[in-house]
Amino acid sequence: MSTDTSDADNDLRERVTNFLRRNFPQIQMHGGSAAISHLDRETGEVQIQLGGACSGCGISPMTIQAIKSRMVKEIPEIETVHADTGMGAGADGDLGGTGGSGMSPSFPGETTDGDDDEGPQAPF
């Protein structure tokens, strides 16, 4: 890997880290952590691992969804964000066991089967 590529990778990694700190301070305030476990500049993919209090937290699926939607908008080089809590969650933030049962977490503003209940509001 050339020095230019290494510098570009480090710059992108720093921007992703700063994005997480700036946009999701509540992760750390609530005893959680967010770390980049993999970053591929060529494909525009990043893997984020949420840990600490995020593992098993009821709103971690909403946090994951917010990270995914905001990061691709704010950082042009990032095209795909994979994130999980390490609690049996899949790369898409699916809570362990819910994917196989046909159920999935719902997010505020998301409509399902004509249900008007938006569920709890995310704290961000």
Side-chain angles (χ1 to χ4, degrees):
M1 182 173 359
S2 73
T3 303
D4 290 339
T5 303
S6 179
D7 289 345
D9 287 348
N10 289 337
D11 175 62
L12 182 57
R13 182 173 290 273
E14 184 174 330
R15 287 190 293 140
V16 169
T17 300
N18 288 336
F19 165 85
L20 291 169
R21 283 188 195 136
R22 188 175 59 254
N23 289 290
F24 298 95
Q26 70 276 15
I27 291 173
Q28 194 169 28
M29 290 186 316
H30 293 152
S33 63
I36 302 166
S37 57
H38 179 74
L39 178 64
D40 188 334
R41 183 176 179 80
E42 289 182 23
T43 63
E45 291 185 71
V46 64
Q47 172 75 36
I48 305 294
Q49 182 70 41
L50 300 179
C54 292
S55 297
C57 176
I59 65 166
S60 62
M62 288 184 278
T63 303
I64 288 170
Q65 189 64 27
I67 289 170
K68 288 179 171 186
S69 65
R70 291 181 191 177
M71 190 179 294
V72 296
K73 291 176 184 174
E74 189 171 318
I75 304 174
E77 295 91 339
I78 300 297
E79 294 181 23
T80 307
V81 179
H82 303 283
D84 73 49
T85 61
M87 290 291 295
D92 293 327
D94 181 32
L95 295 176
T98 61
S101 67
M103 296 179 64
S104 63
S106 62
F107 303 99
E110 180 178 75
T111 58
T112 57
D113 299 327
D115 199 1
D116 291 334
D117 182 20
E118 290 186 358
Q121 294 296 313
F124 38 84

